[in-house]
């Protein structure tokens, strides 16, 4: 008799050329990932060859009930680590039937910035450090924490090892391998300062692909925590008090910054970021004011400052960049729940296109 796992693990290629495409999009809150699957007649590697699809936008707070159809445009393809074989994950963005991007479609505006000739010429690289917290399903309290109580103070948990320090490592390692299988350029993982909190890094990725890859990495993590019966939180300050918040530090460089003399370009870019500090903060994630307090390795939300190797700064420049006179910098302001399409394109717009 077949077990459910036997059926889940069926290799479709033994019986058919048809494949399953899981279409993924972002719902009305800006953080709720949605997906549904369809059958294709055969393998597809180019998103332009995939059919557009639609969904009921009234059920995702993206359209009224009397005109609810929203159209999905396939934008990027990844291998499906859950179904495997030739099956795929498809990152999409959303449009009205008339072809206009819906208000919650942040990818469309980002793609315009990344396709600007001046931005294309600079080949912007991104490395995004996505922090997140794993919560016990029934009580919404971090995994590894006593229910209704607290663990020992922060200190031993960052990159910690041991049953009393690292909680949820199986989920983290499953996600790491699944992202590599999918074709996401995930570059590492580590345990974070608050117990039950972890981080993965996506990059280096060029332009709009940074947003595509981070969103699909988030989707894969949501699916894995679903299987594990654990709740995934991107709240920038999941626990009130003397606990670290969760961010999405965004590392960035342009071709000019990576070439000789790049340090001067970096300093000019940072100066421009300072001039638009309020605009960036407004776009860097909901609830970020609870995280950017000037404590717990952050700058105060109303203060813009930068420094070399300073984790309490808005912008951190690495020692290697200072020494070599070229390289990248880290924007430490984005919250864990930021939209990578918004943040990456805004950094490119401010540093490359914007004229003070």
């Amino acid at each position: 008799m077949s077990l459910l796992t036997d059926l889940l693990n069926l290799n479709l290629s033994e019986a058919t050329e048809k494949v399953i495409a899981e279409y993924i999009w972002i719902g009305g809150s800006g953080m709720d990932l949605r997906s549904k699957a369809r059958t294709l007649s055969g393998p597809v590697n180019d998103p332009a060859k995939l059919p557009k699809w639609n969904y009921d936008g009234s059920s995702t707070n993206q359209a009224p009930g009397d005109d609810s159809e929203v159209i999905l445009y396939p934008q990027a393809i990844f291998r499906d680590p859950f179904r495997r074989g030739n099956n795929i994950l498809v990152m999409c963005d959303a449009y009205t039937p008339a072809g206009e991007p819906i208000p919650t479609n942040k990818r469309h505006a980002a793609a315009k910035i990344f396709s600007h000739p001046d931005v294309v010429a600079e080949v912007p690289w991104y490395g995004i450090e996505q922090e997140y917290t794993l919560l016990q399903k029934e009580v919404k309290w971090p995994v590894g924490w006593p229910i209704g109580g607290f663990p020992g103070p922060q200190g031993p948990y960052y990159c910690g090892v041991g049953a009393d320090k690292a909680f949820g490592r199986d989920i983290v390692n499953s996600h790491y391998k699944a992202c590599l299988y999918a074709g996401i350029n995930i570059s590492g993982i580590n345990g974070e300062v608050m117990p039950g909190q972890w981080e993965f890094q996506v990059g280096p990725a060029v332009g709009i692909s940074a947003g595509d890859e981070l969103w699909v990495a988030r989707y894969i993590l949501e699916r894995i925590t679903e299987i594990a019966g654990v709740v995934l939180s991107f709240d920038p300050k999941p626990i009130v008090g003397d606990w670290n918040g969760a961010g999405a530090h965004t590392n960035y460089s342009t071709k000019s910054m990576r070439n000789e003399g790049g340090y001067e370009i970096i300093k000019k870019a940072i100066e421009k970021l300072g001039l638009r500090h309020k605009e960036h903060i407004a776009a860097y994630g909901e609830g970020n004011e609870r995280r950017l307090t000037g404590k717990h390795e952050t700058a105060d939300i109303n203060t813009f400052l930068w420094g070399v190797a300073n984790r309490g700064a808005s912008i951190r420049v690495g020692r290697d960049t200072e020494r070599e006179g070229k390289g990248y910098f880290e924007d430490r302001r984005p919250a864990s729940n930021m939209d990578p399409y918004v943040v990456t394109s805004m950094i490119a717009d401010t540093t490359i296109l914007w004229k003070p």
Side-chain angles (χ1 to χ4, degrees):
M1 186 174 72
S2 292
L3 298 173
L4 190 60
T5 52
D6 295 331
L7 297 173
L8 284 169
N9 293 326
L10 276 175
N11 184 354
L12 294 181
S13 63
E14 293 177 356
T16 179
E17 292 184 357
K18 293 180 179 179
V19 300
I20 301 171
E22 190 78 27
Y23 279 46
I24 303 164
W25 71 96
I26 302 155
S29 75
M31 278 302 292
D32 56 320
L33 283 160
R34 310 282 180 139
S35 75
K36 61 177 183 172
R38 68 182 297 161
T39 305
L40 306 176
S41 59
V44 178
N45 297 311
D46 180 356
K49 295 181 180 178
L50 286 168
K52 294 174 184 175
W53 206 6
N54 65 74
Y55 66 92
D56 170 18
S58 68
S59 296
T60 62
N61 292 317
Q62 292 174 300
D66 59 355
D67 187 14
S68 65
E69 190 168 289
V70 180
I71 312 301
L72 291 171
Y73 286 31
Q75 299 292 359
I77 291 175
F78 299 86
R79 291 184 292 274
D80 187 338
F82 304 102
R83 296 185 175 108
R84 289 171 281 184
N86 290 321
N87 303 300
I88 55 176
L89 304 176
V90 184
M91 190 65 209
C92 304
D93 60 353
Y95 296 79
T96 68
E100 295 295 323
I102 65 171
T104 53
N105 179 353
K106 307 303 182 184
R107 190 187 191 280
H108 180 79
K112 283 186 175 181
I113 291 171
F114 284 121
S115 62
H116 190 288
D118 292 350
V119 176
V120 172
E122 283 290 352
V123 196
W125 289 4
Y126 297 90
I128 302 173
E129 305 171 28
Q130 175 69 72
E131 295 177 343
Y132 60 94
T133 308
L134 299 174
L135 304 176
Q136 301 170 55
K137 183 180 177 181
E138 303 303 328
V139 293
K140 301 298 194 301
W141 199 238
V143 296
W145 290 38
I147 295 176
F150 296 87
Q154 295 180 158
Y157 310 108
Y158 173 69
C159 298
V161 179
D164 58 342
K165 305 177 197 72
F167 311 120
R169 193 183 295 277
D170 285 352
I171 290 171
V172 174
N173 282 332
S174 298
H175 177 249
Y176 197 173
K177 284 191 171 182
C179 284
L180 287 172
Y181 180 95
I184 293 166
N185 194 23
I186 184 170
S187 50
I189 57 168
N190 61 268
E192 267 305 326
V193 177
M194 190 184 84
Q197 194 176 86
W198 295 81
E199 173 183 300
F200 66 89
Q201 302 94 34
V202 168
V206 178
I208 198 75
S209 65
D212 291 335
E213 292 188 28
L214 188 70
W215 272 116
V216 175
R218 284 173 169 177
Y219 172 83
I220 291 171
L221 185 55
E222 286 270 23
R223 289 282 305 276
I224 291 171
T225 53
E226 173 190 319
I227 293 166
V230 170
V231 174
L232 173 63
S233 172
F234 290 113
D235 191 300
K237 188 71 174 180
I239 303 296
V240 175
D242 196 19
W243 305 97
N244 271 36
H249 304 155
T250 301
N251 299 276
Y252 171 71
S253 71
T254 63
K255 186 177 180 180
S256 297
M257 295 174 191
R258 297 187 291 268
N259 289 339
E260 294 301 321
Y263 196 32
E264 292 304 313
I265 305 296
I266 287 172
K267 287 191 285 188
K268 290 176 183 176
I270 293 173
E271 182 181 354
K272 292 171 77 174
L273 287 169
L275 293 173
R276 297 185 81 188
H277 177 64
K278 288 185 178 179
E279 292 92 329
H280 279 257
I281 287 295
Y284 272 18
E286 292 293 326
N288 210 10
E289 72 283 351
R290 294 183 281 115
R291 166 181 164 262
L292 296 180
T293 61
K295 302 176 182 178
H296 307 109
E297 300 183 284
T298 75
D300 182 87
I301 194 167
N302 296 311
T303 304
F304 181 88
L305 59 96
W306 73 278
V308 177
N310 183 358
R311 282 182 160 75
S314 312
I315 305 290
R316 181 186 68 86
V317 175
R319 290 288 182 198
D320 288 346
T321 297
E322 181 189 43
R323 182 172 57 252
E324 296 173 12
K326 59 183 178 180
Y328 72 96
F329 64 82
E330 174 191 41
D331 190 340
R332 297 179 60 80
R333 298 170 296 172
S336 51
N337 60 0
M338 63 83 156
D339 187 324
Y341 294 135
V342 173
V343 169
T344 57
S345 62
M346 195 172 193
I347 292 173
D349 180 56
T350 295
T351 61
I352 300 172
L353 301 178
W354 185 60
K355 308 298 181 186

